[in-house]
Short mmCIF file of all heavy atoms in Angstrom, two decimals:
data_model
loop_
_atom_site.label_atom_id
_atom_site.label_comp_id
_atom_site.label_asym_id
_atom_site.label_seq_id
_atom_site.Cartn_x
_atom_site.Cartn_y
_atom_site.Cartn_z
N VAL A 1 -117.67 -61.02 43.53
CA VAL A 1 -116.87 -60.56 42.29
C VAL A 1 -116.85 -59.13 42.24
O VAL A 1 -117.97 -58.57 42.24
CB VAL A 1 -117.45 -61.23 40.98
CG1 VAL A 1 -116.73 -60.74 39.79
CG2 VAL A 1 -117.39 -62.76 41.10
N PHE A 2 -115.76 -58.43 42.20
CA PHE A 2 -115.61 -57.03 42.07
C PHE A 2 -115.18 -56.76 40.72
O PHE A 2 -114.45 -57.46 40.03
CB PHE A 2 -114.61 -56.50 42.99
CG PHE A 2 -114.88 -56.73 44.46
CD1 PHE A 2 -114.26 -57.73 45.19
CD2 PHE A 2 -115.74 -55.84 45.20
CE1 PHE A 2 -114.53 -58.05 46.52
CE2 PHE A 2 -115.97 -56.18 46.53
CZ PHE A 2 -115.41 -57.21 47.24
N GLY A 3 -115.64 -55.60 40.23
CA GLY A 3 -115.23 -55.09 38.98
C GLY A 3 -116.12 -53.96 38.42
O GLY A 3 -117.14 -53.76 38.77
N ASP A 4 -115.51 -53.12 37.60
CA ASP A 4 -116.17 -51.98 37.12
C ASP A 4 -117.10 -52.20 35.91
O ASP A 4 -117.87 -51.51 35.55
CB ASP A 4 -115.11 -50.88 36.77
CG ASP A 4 -114.32 -50.38 37.94
OD1 ASP A 4 -114.98 -50.25 39.12
OD2 ASP A 4 -113.13 -49.97 37.78
N ASP A 5 -116.91 -53.31 35.27
CA ASP A 5 -117.75 -53.66 34.14
C ASP A 5 -118.78 -54.71 34.61
O ASP A 5 -118.49 -55.82 34.83
CB ASP A 5 -116.85 -54.41 33.05
CG ASP A 5 -117.66 -54.66 31.90
OD1 ASP A 5 -118.71 -55.10 31.83
OD2 ASP A 5 -116.91 -54.65 30.62
N LYS A 6 -120.00 -54.15 34.62
CA LYS A 6 -121.15 -54.94 35.18
C LYS A 6 -121.35 -56.21 34.41
O LYS A 6 -121.64 -57.29 35.14
CB LYS A 6 -122.40 -54.08 35.26
CG LYS A 6 -123.50 -54.68 36.19
CD LYS A 6 -124.60 -53.59 36.24
CE LYS A 6 -125.48 -53.86 37.58
NZ LYS A 6 -126.43 -52.80 37.68
N ALA A 7 -121.28 -56.11 33.11
CA ALA A 7 -121.57 -57.31 32.22
C ALA A 7 -120.44 -58.43 32.51
O ALA A 7 -120.75 -59.62 32.56
CB ALA A 7 -121.63 -56.96 30.78
N ALA A 8 -119.22 -57.99 32.65
CA ALA A 8 -118.07 -58.92 32.89
C ALA A 8 -118.27 -59.53 34.34
O ALA A 8 -118.00 -60.76 34.54
CB ALA A 8 -116.78 -58.19 32.97
N ARG A 9 -118.64 -58.80 35.27
CA ARG A 9 -118.96 -59.34 36.64
C ARG A 9 -119.89 -60.53 36.44
O ARG A 9 -119.91 -61.57 37.09
CB ARG A 9 -119.42 -58.43 37.58
CG ARG A 9 -118.41 -57.50 38.23
CD ARG A 9 -118.87 -56.83 39.44
NE ARG A 9 -120.22 -56.40 39.43
CZ ARG A 9 -120.55 -55.00 39.27
NH1 ARG A 9 -119.71 -54.12 39.05
NH2 ARG A 9 -121.83 -54.70 39.37
N GLY A 10 -121.03 -60.23 35.70
CA GLY A 10 -122.04 -61.18 35.46
C GLY A 10 -121.62 -62.44 34.81
O GLY A 10 -122.00 -63.56 35.16
N GLU A 11 -120.56 -62.38 33.90
CA GLU A 11 -120.06 -63.50 33.32
C GLU A 11 -119.30 -64.40 34.35
O GLU A 11 -119.36 -65.62 34.31
CB GLU A 11 -119.15 -63.21 32.13
CG GLU A 11 -119.93 -62.56 30.97
CD GLU A 11 -118.97 -62.32 29.76
OE1 GLU A 11 -118.05 -63.00 29.61
OE2 GLU A 11 -119.35 -61.38 29.02
N VAL A 12 -118.47 -63.75 35.20
CA VAL A 12 -117.73 -64.36 36.08
C VAL A 12 -118.65 -65.03 37.28
O VAL A 12 -118.40 -66.17 37.63
CB VAL A 12 -116.72 -63.43 36.88
CG1 VAL A 12 -115.97 -64.17 37.95
CG2 VAL A 12 -115.77 -62.91 35.76
N VAL A 13 -119.58 -64.35 37.69
CA VAL A 13 -120.55 -64.92 38.57
C VAL A 13 -121.24 -66.25 38.02
O VAL A 13 -121.41 -67.28 38.67
CB VAL A 13 -121.64 -63.93 38.98
CG1 VAL A 13 -122.85 -64.57 39.67
CG2 VAL A 13 -121.01 -62.80 39.80
N ALA A 14 -121.67 -66.17 36.70
CA ALA A 14 -122.32 -67.30 36.02
C ALA A 14 -121.23 -68.38 35.91
O ALA A 14 -121.58 -69.61 36.06
CB ALA A 14 -122.71 -66.87 34.64
N LEU A 15 -119.99 -68.12 35.70
CA LEU A 15 -118.91 -69.24 35.54
C LEU A 15 -118.80 -69.80 36.97
O LEU A 15 -118.65 -71.00 37.03
CB LEU A 15 -117.66 -68.45 35.12
CG LEU A 15 -116.45 -69.36 34.83
CD1 LEU A 15 -116.81 -70.29 33.63
CD2 LEU A 15 -115.34 -68.59 34.38
N ALA A 16 -118.79 -68.97 38.07
CA ALA A 16 -118.67 -69.60 39.44
C ALA A 16 -119.76 -70.61 39.59
O ALA A 16 -119.66 -71.59 40.08
CB ALA A 16 -118.48 -68.53 40.39
N ASP A 17 -121.02 -70.05 39.27
CA ASP A 17 -122.25 -70.80 39.48
C ASP A 17 -122.12 -72.21 38.75
O ASP A 17 -122.50 -73.27 39.18
CB ASP A 17 -123.41 -70.04 38.97
CG ASP A 17 -123.75 -68.88 39.98
OD1 ASP A 17 -123.37 -68.77 41.09
OD2 ASP A 17 -124.56 -67.99 39.51
N ALA A 18 -121.56 -72.14 37.39
CA ALA A 18 -121.49 -73.35 36.61
C ALA A 18 -120.49 -74.20 37.21
O ALA A 18 -120.54 -75.46 36.93
CB ALA A 18 -121.08 -72.91 35.24
N MET A 19 -119.60 -73.79 38.04
CA MET A 19 -118.60 -74.65 38.70
C MET A 19 -119.15 -75.24 40.01
O MET A 19 -118.42 -75.96 40.74
CB MET A 19 -117.35 -73.89 38.97
CG MET A 19 -116.54 -73.57 37.68
SD MET A 19 -114.90 -72.80 37.92
CE MET A 19 -115.13 -71.43 39.04
N GLY A 20 -120.28 -74.87 40.38
CA GLY A 20 -120.94 -75.31 41.61
C GLY A 20 -120.63 -74.43 42.74
O GLY A 20 -120.90 -74.89 43.93
N LEU A 21 -120.06 -73.25 42.54
CA LEU A 21 -119.88 -72.32 43.61
C LEU A 21 -120.95 -71.27 43.62
O LEU A 21 -121.75 -71.28 42.64
CB LEU A 21 -118.46 -71.68 43.46
CG LEU A 21 -117.25 -72.66 43.31
CD1 LEU A 21 -116.07 -71.92 42.80
CD2 LEU A 21 -117.09 -73.30 44.57
N ARG A 22 -120.92 -70.41 44.51
CA ARG A 22 -121.85 -69.32 44.54
C ARG A 22 -121.18 -67.93 44.26
O ARG A 22 -120.48 -67.51 45.22
CB ARG A 22 -122.75 -69.28 45.82
CG ARG A 22 -123.81 -68.19 45.74
CD ARG A 22 -124.84 -68.21 46.82
NE ARG A 22 -124.21 -68.10 48.12
CZ ARG A 22 -124.88 -68.18 49.30
NH1 ARG A 22 -126.13 -68.22 49.27
NH2 ARG A 22 -124.17 -67.99 50.46
N GLY A 23 -121.25 -67.39 43.22
CA GLY A 23 -120.64 -66.20 42.91
C GLY A 23 -121.57 -65.00 43.18
O GLY A 23 -122.78 -65.14 42.99
N LEU A 24 -121.03 -63.96 43.83
CA LEU A 24 -121.81 -62.86 44.22
C LEU A 24 -121.33 -61.57 43.65
O LEU A 24 -120.06 -61.32 43.59
CB LEU A 24 -121.80 -62.66 45.71
CG LEU A 24 -122.37 -63.85 46.54
CD1 LEU A 24 -122.18 -63.60 47.97
CD2 LEU A 24 -123.79 -64.10 46.16
N HIS A 25 -122.17 -60.68 43.09
CA HIS A 25 -121.76 -59.33 42.62
C HIS A 25 -121.47 -58.56 43.96
O HIS A 25 -122.32 -58.45 44.76
CB HIS A 25 -122.98 -58.63 41.85
CG HIS A 25 -123.23 -59.24 40.49
ND1 HIS A 25 -122.58 -58.66 39.47
CD2 HIS A 25 -124.00 -60.17 40.15
CE1 HIS A 25 -122.97 -59.37 38.42
NE2 HIS A 25 -123.89 -60.26 38.82
N ALA A 26 -120.20 -58.05 43.97
CA ALA A 26 -119.81 -57.19 45.10
C ALA A 26 -119.59 -55.79 44.70
O ALA A 26 -119.12 -54.96 45.52
CB ALA A 26 -118.59 -57.85 45.69
N GLY A 27 -119.94 -55.42 43.52
CA GLY A 27 -119.81 -53.98 43.16
C GLY A 27 -118.60 -53.66 42.41
O GLY A 27 -117.76 -54.50 42.02
N ALA A 28 -118.22 -52.39 42.43
CA ALA A 28 -117.09 -51.85 41.76
C ALA A 28 -115.92 -52.25 42.30
O ALA A 28 -115.73 -52.72 43.44
CB ALA A 28 -117.16 -50.24 41.83
N LEU A 29 -114.78 -52.21 41.45
CA LEU A 29 -113.46 -52.77 41.82
C LEU A 29 -112.94 -51.92 43.05
O LEU A 29 -112.29 -52.60 44.01
CB LEU A 29 -112.56 -52.50 40.67
CG LEU A 29 -111.08 -53.05 40.77
CD1 LEU A 29 -111.20 -54.55 41.03
CD2 LEU A 29 -110.21 -52.71 39.56
N CYS A 30 -113.26 -50.73 43.35
CA CYS A 30 -112.79 -50.05 44.51
C CYS A 30 -113.29 -50.68 45.75
O CYS A 30 -112.64 -50.45 46.88
CB CYS A 30 -113.23 -48.55 44.43
SG CYS A 30 -114.95 -48.20 44.49
N ASN A 31 -114.36 -51.41 45.70
CA ASN A 31 -114.89 -52.11 46.87
C ASN A 31 -113.95 -53.27 47.28
O ASN A 31 -114.03 -53.67 48.42
CB ASN A 31 -116.26 -52.73 46.68
CG ASN A 31 -117.34 -51.69 46.60
OD1 ASN A 31 -117.22 -50.44 46.95
ND2 ASN A 31 -118.48 -52.04 46.00
N SER A 32 -113.06 -53.68 46.35
CA SER A 32 -112.26 -54.78 46.71
C SER A 32 -111.22 -54.48 47.80
O SER A 32 -110.85 -55.49 48.50
CB SER A 32 -111.53 -55.30 45.46
OG SER A 32 -110.69 -54.32 44.94
N ALA A 33 -110.96 -53.26 47.99
CA ALA A 33 -109.92 -52.92 48.92
C ALA A 33 -110.40 -53.20 50.45
O ALA A 33 -109.63 -53.68 51.15
CB ALA A 33 -109.59 -51.34 48.94
N ALA A 34 -111.77 -53.01 50.63
CA ALA A 34 -112.27 -53.41 51.95
C ALA A 34 -112.24 -54.90 52.13
O ALA A 34 -111.93 -55.43 53.22
CB ALA A 34 -113.78 -52.86 52.03
N ALA A 35 -112.54 -55.59 51.21
CA ALA A 35 -112.55 -57.07 51.25
C ALA A 35 -111.07 -57.60 51.44
O ALA A 35 -110.92 -58.48 52.36
CB ALA A 35 -113.15 -57.75 50.03
N GLU A 36 -110.14 -57.00 50.77
CA GLU A 36 -108.81 -57.45 50.88
C GLU A 36 -108.24 -57.18 52.33
O GLU A 36 -107.42 -57.90 52.91
CB GLU A 36 -107.98 -56.82 49.82
CG GLU A 36 -108.21 -57.30 48.51
CD GLU A 36 -107.69 -58.83 48.19
OE1 GLU A 36 -106.82 -59.29 49.05
OE2 GLU A 36 -108.16 -59.46 47.31
N ALA A 37 -108.70 -56.11 52.93
CA ALA A 37 -108.34 -55.70 54.23
C ALA A 37 -108.79 -56.71 55.25
O ALA A 37 -108.07 -56.85 56.27
CB ALA A 37 -108.83 -54.35 54.63
N MET A 38 -109.85 -57.38 55.01
CA MET A 38 -110.27 -58.34 55.91
C MET A 38 -109.36 -59.58 56.09
O MET A 38 -109.39 -60.29 57.13
CB MET A 38 -111.64 -58.93 55.54
CG MET A 38 -112.79 -57.92 55.68
SD MET A 38 -113.19 -57.59 57.39
CE MET A 38 -113.64 -59.24 57.93
N THR A 39 -108.54 -59.81 55.08
CA THR A 39 -107.57 -60.87 55.08
C THR A 39 -106.67 -60.92 56.34
O THR A 39 -106.45 -61.78 57.01
CB THR A 39 -106.72 -60.91 53.74
OG1 THR A 39 -107.62 -61.01 52.68
CG2 THR A 39 -105.81 -62.13 53.78
N SER A 40 -106.03 -59.73 56.66
CA SER A 40 -105.06 -59.55 57.78
C SER A 40 -105.76 -59.75 59.08
O SER A 40 -105.25 -60.31 60.02
CB SER A 40 -104.39 -58.23 57.70
OG SER A 40 -105.30 -57.17 57.83
N ILE A 41 -107.02 -59.33 59.19
CA ILE A 41 -107.85 -59.59 60.34
C ILE A 41 -108.19 -61.01 60.60
O ILE A 41 -108.01 -61.48 61.64
CB ILE A 41 -109.25 -58.65 60.34
CG1 ILE A 41 -108.92 -57.22 60.23
CG2 ILE A 41 -110.19 -59.07 61.44
CD1 ILE A 41 -110.12 -56.30 59.94
N LEU A 42 -108.53 -61.79 59.47
CA LEU A 42 -108.80 -63.17 59.62
C LEU A 42 -107.57 -64.03 60.02
O LEU A 42 -107.65 -64.84 60.76
CB LEU A 42 -109.44 -63.65 58.33
CG LEU A 42 -110.84 -63.09 58.10
CD1 LEU A 42 -111.33 -63.53 56.72
CD2 LEU A 42 -111.80 -63.47 59.17
N ILE A 43 -106.41 -63.59 59.41
CA ILE A 43 -105.22 -64.24 59.78
C ILE A 43 -104.89 -64.02 61.29
O ILE A 43 -104.53 -64.97 61.92
CB ILE A 43 -103.93 -63.67 58.97
CG1 ILE A 43 -104.15 -64.25 57.37
CG2 ILE A 43 -102.61 -64.09 59.38
CD1 ILE A 43 -103.19 -63.57 56.39
N PHE A 44 -105.05 -62.88 61.70
CA PHE A 44 -104.82 -62.54 63.15
C PHE A 44 -105.62 -63.44 64.04
O PHE A 44 -105.31 -64.08 64.99
CB PHE A 44 -104.97 -61.02 63.47
CG PHE A 44 -104.99 -60.70 64.91
CD1 PHE A 44 -103.73 -60.66 65.61
CD2 PHE A 44 -106.12 -60.71 65.78
CE1 PHE A 44 -103.60 -60.29 66.84
CE2 PHE A 44 -106.06 -60.41 67.05
CZ PHE A 44 -104.80 -60.30 67.70
N VAL A 45 -107.00 -63.34 63.72
CA VAL A 45 -107.97 -64.22 64.55
C VAL A 45 -107.50 -65.64 64.54
O VAL A 45 -107.61 -66.39 65.59
CB VAL A 45 -109.44 -64.02 63.90
CG1 VAL A 45 -110.43 -65.06 64.62
CG2 VAL A 45 -109.85 -62.57 64.24
N ASN A 46 -107.31 -66.21 63.39
CA ASN A 46 -106.81 -67.64 63.17
C ASN A 46 -105.64 -67.92 64.13
O ASN A 46 -105.59 -68.88 64.80
CB ASN A 46 -106.56 -68.02 61.87
CG ASN A 46 -107.83 -68.23 61.05
OD1 ASN A 46 -108.86 -68.67 61.47
ND2 ASN A 46 -107.70 -67.74 59.70
N LYS A 47 -104.67 -67.01 64.07
CA LYS A 47 -103.47 -67.29 64.83
C LYS A 47 -103.53 -66.98 66.19
O LYS A 47 -103.08 -67.80 67.17
CB LYS A 47 -102.33 -66.21 64.36
CG LYS A 47 -100.96 -66.50 64.57
CD LYS A 47 -100.04 -65.68 63.70
CE LYS A 47 -98.54 -66.11 64.00
NZ LYS A 47 -97.65 -65.18 63.30
N ALA A 48 -104.33 -65.93 66.70
CA ALA A 48 -104.39 -65.57 68.09
C ALA A 48 -105.24 -66.49 68.89
O ALA A 48 -104.99 -66.86 69.99
CB ALA A 48 -104.95 -64.13 68.30
N TYR A 49 -106.40 -67.05 68.20
CA TYR A 49 -107.22 -67.99 68.92
C TYR A 49 -107.04 -69.31 68.38
O TYR A 49 -107.96 -70.28 68.79
CB TYR A 49 -108.73 -67.40 68.59
CG TYR A 49 -108.98 -66.08 69.20
CD1 TYR A 49 -108.81 -64.92 68.51
CD2 TYR A 49 -109.30 -65.93 70.59
CE1 TYR A 49 -109.06 -63.71 69.19
CE2 TYR A 49 -109.53 -64.86 71.23
CZ TYR A 49 -109.40 -63.62 70.56
OH TYR A 49 -109.71 -62.48 71.06
N LYS A 50 -105.95 -69.55 67.69
CA LYS A 50 -105.68 -70.98 67.24
C LYS A 50 -107.06 -71.52 66.52
O LYS A 50 -107.33 -72.71 66.77
CB LYS A 50 -105.22 -71.85 68.37
CG LYS A 50 -103.86 -71.24 68.84
CD LYS A 50 -103.36 -72.12 70.05
CE LYS A 50 -102.07 -71.68 70.59
NZ LYS A 50 -101.76 -70.44 70.62
N VAL A 51 -107.60 -70.78 65.77
CA VAL A 51 -108.68 -71.16 64.93
C VAL A 51 -108.29 -71.69 63.47
O VAL A 51 -107.42 -71.00 62.91
CB VAL A 51 -109.78 -70.04 64.83
CG1 VAL A 51 -110.89 -70.45 63.80
CG2 VAL A 51 -110.23 -69.55 66.10
N ASP A 52 -108.81 -72.75 63.00
CA ASP A 52 -108.45 -73.12 61.74
C ASP A 52 -109.60 -72.83 60.79
O ASP A 52 -110.54 -73.52 60.75
CB ASP A 52 -108.13 -74.64 61.74
CG ASP A 52 -107.78 -75.12 60.30
OD1 ASP A 52 -107.20 -74.37 59.52
OD2 ASP A 52 -107.88 -76.30 60.03
N GLY A 53 -109.53 -71.71 60.02
CA GLY A 53 -110.40 -71.31 59.19
C GLY A 53 -111.48 -70.35 59.53
O GLY A 53 -112.59 -70.36 59.01
N ALA A 54 -111.29 -69.39 60.36
CA ALA A 54 -112.23 -68.22 60.65
C ALA A 54 -112.45 -67.63 59.41
O ALA A 54 -111.56 -67.42 58.58
CB ALA A 54 -111.54 -67.38 61.76
N GLY A 55 -113.55 -67.11 59.21
CA GLY A 55 -114.01 -66.50 57.96
C GLY A 55 -115.16 -65.51 58.15
O GLY A 55 -115.63 -65.38 59.34
N VAL A 56 -115.69 -65.06 57.08
CA VAL A 56 -116.78 -64.21 57.08
C VAL A 56 -117.88 -64.98 56.25
O VAL A 56 -117.69 -65.57 55.21
CB VAL A 56 -116.45 -62.83 56.28
CG1 VAL A 56 -117.78 -61.99 56.16
CG2 VAL A 56 -115.31 -62.12 56.97
N ARG A 57 -119.11 -64.97 56.92
CA ARG A 57 -120.31 -65.58 56.14
C ARG A 57 -121.38 -64.57 55.94
O ARG A 57 -121.65 -63.73 56.76
CB ARG A 57 -120.88 -66.57 57.27
CG ARG A 57 -122.13 -67.31 56.58
CD ARG A 57 -122.66 -68.35 57.58
NE ARG A 57 -121.66 -69.43 57.56
CZ ARG A 57 -121.83 -70.56 58.31
NH1 ARG A 57 -122.91 -70.72 58.95
NH2 ARG A 57 -120.90 -71.55 58.35
N ILE A 58 -121.84 -64.59 54.73
CA ILE A 58 -122.92 -63.68 54.35
C ILE A 58 -124.21 -64.56 54.54
O ILE A 58 -124.37 -65.62 53.95
CB ILE A 58 -122.70 -63.32 52.81
CG1 ILE A 58 -121.42 -62.49 52.64
CG2 ILE A 58 -123.93 -62.57 52.36
CD1 ILE A 58 -121.03 -61.99 51.34
N THR A 59 -125.11 -64.03 55.33
CA THR A 59 -126.33 -64.75 55.61
C THR A 59 -127.53 -64.05 55.06
O THR A 59 -127.49 -62.91 54.59
CB THR A 59 -126.38 -64.86 57.14
OG1 THR A 59 -126.55 -63.56 57.72
CG2 THR A 59 -125.32 -65.58 57.69
N GLY A 60 -128.64 -64.81 55.03
CA GLY A 60 -129.88 -64.19 54.61
C GLY A 60 -130.24 -64.68 53.27
O GLY A 60 -129.32 -65.32 52.59
N GLU A 61 -131.46 -64.42 52.77
CA GLU A 61 -131.82 -64.83 51.50
C GLU A 61 -131.25 -63.82 50.38
O GLU A 61 -131.51 -62.68 50.59
CB GLU A 61 -133.34 -64.86 51.34
CG GLU A 61 -133.78 -65.31 50.05
CD GLU A 61 -135.28 -65.46 50.02
OE1 GLU A 61 -136.00 -65.34 51.02
OE2 GLU A 61 -135.87 -65.51 48.85
N LEU A 62 -130.47 -64.35 49.52
CA LEU A 62 -129.96 -63.50 48.46
C LEU A 62 -130.84 -63.27 47.34
O LEU A 62 -131.38 -64.28 46.75
CB LEU A 62 -128.57 -64.12 48.04
CG LEU A 62 -127.43 -64.22 49.07
CD1 LEU A 62 -126.34 -64.89 48.58
CD2 LEU A 62 -127.15 -62.84 49.63
N ILE A 63 -131.15 -62.09 47.04
CA ILE A 63 -132.01 -61.71 45.82
C ILE A 63 -131.12 -61.19 44.75
O ILE A 63 -130.37 -60.29 45.19
CB ILE A 63 -133.12 -60.75 46.41
CG1 ILE A 63 -134.00 -61.48 47.42
CG2 ILE A 63 -133.98 -60.45 45.21
CD1 ILE A 63 -134.94 -60.73 48.14
N ALA A 64 -131.31 -61.52 43.53
CA ALA A 64 -130.47 -60.92 42.49
C ALA A 64 -130.61 -59.56 42.45
O ALA A 64 -131.69 -58.91 42.63
CB ALA A 64 -130.88 -61.59 41.17
N PRO A 65 -129.46 -58.83 42.25
CA PRO A 65 -129.51 -57.31 42.19
C PRO A 65 -130.28 -56.90 40.89
O PRO A 65 -130.35 -57.51 39.97
CB PRO A 65 -128.06 -56.93 42.05
CG PRO A 65 -127.30 -58.12 41.66
CD PRO A 65 -128.16 -59.28 42.08
N THR A 66 -130.87 -55.75 40.93
CA THR A 66 -131.61 -55.21 39.91
C THR A 66 -130.91 -53.90 39.44
O THR A 66 -130.02 -53.32 40.12
CB THR A 66 -133.00 -54.79 40.36
OG1 THR A 66 -133.05 -53.72 41.38
CG2 THR A 66 -133.87 -56.04 40.77
N ASP A 67 -131.03 -53.59 38.18
CA ASP A 67 -130.46 -52.50 37.53
C ASP A 67 -131.16 -51.10 37.97
O ASP A 67 -132.20 -50.97 38.32
CB ASP A 67 -130.29 -52.51 36.13
CG ASP A 67 -129.41 -53.65 35.63
OD1 ASP A 67 -128.39 -53.91 36.36
OD2 ASP A 67 -129.60 -54.19 34.49
#
């Protein structure tokens, strides 16, 4: 979840968690440009290699961010 309002990001992450998903704080809204740019790369990989669902996986033990 990207956003400039840290409290609002927390609410959206909690909402995602309540729906059974895993919401992650991804920082300020300006960071979203990098994530959006990955879309065209993943589309290319899926098309070029005939992959259905290539994606990005975040691995490791996630520890809640601190202030």
Side-chain angles (χ1 to χ4, degrees):
V1 177
F2 298 99
D4 293 331
D5 184 327
K6 197 172 200 177
R9 277 196 329 256
E11 289 183 34
V12 175
V13 167
L15 188 61
D17 292 342
M19 293 188 308
L21 304 170
R22 183 168 61 175
L24 300 174
H25 287 273
L29 188 59
C30 64
N31 291 344
S32 67
E36 289 292 335
M38 288 293 298
T39 302
S40 61
I41 295 169
L42 293 174
I43 290 171
F44 173 81
V45 169
N46 283 325
K47 199 170 183 183
Y49 295 96
K50 296 179 180 26
V51 176
D52 183 25
V56 176
R57 179 179 291 185
I58 298 175
T59 63
E61 183 177 345
L62 298 177
I63 301 170
T66 58
D67 291 331

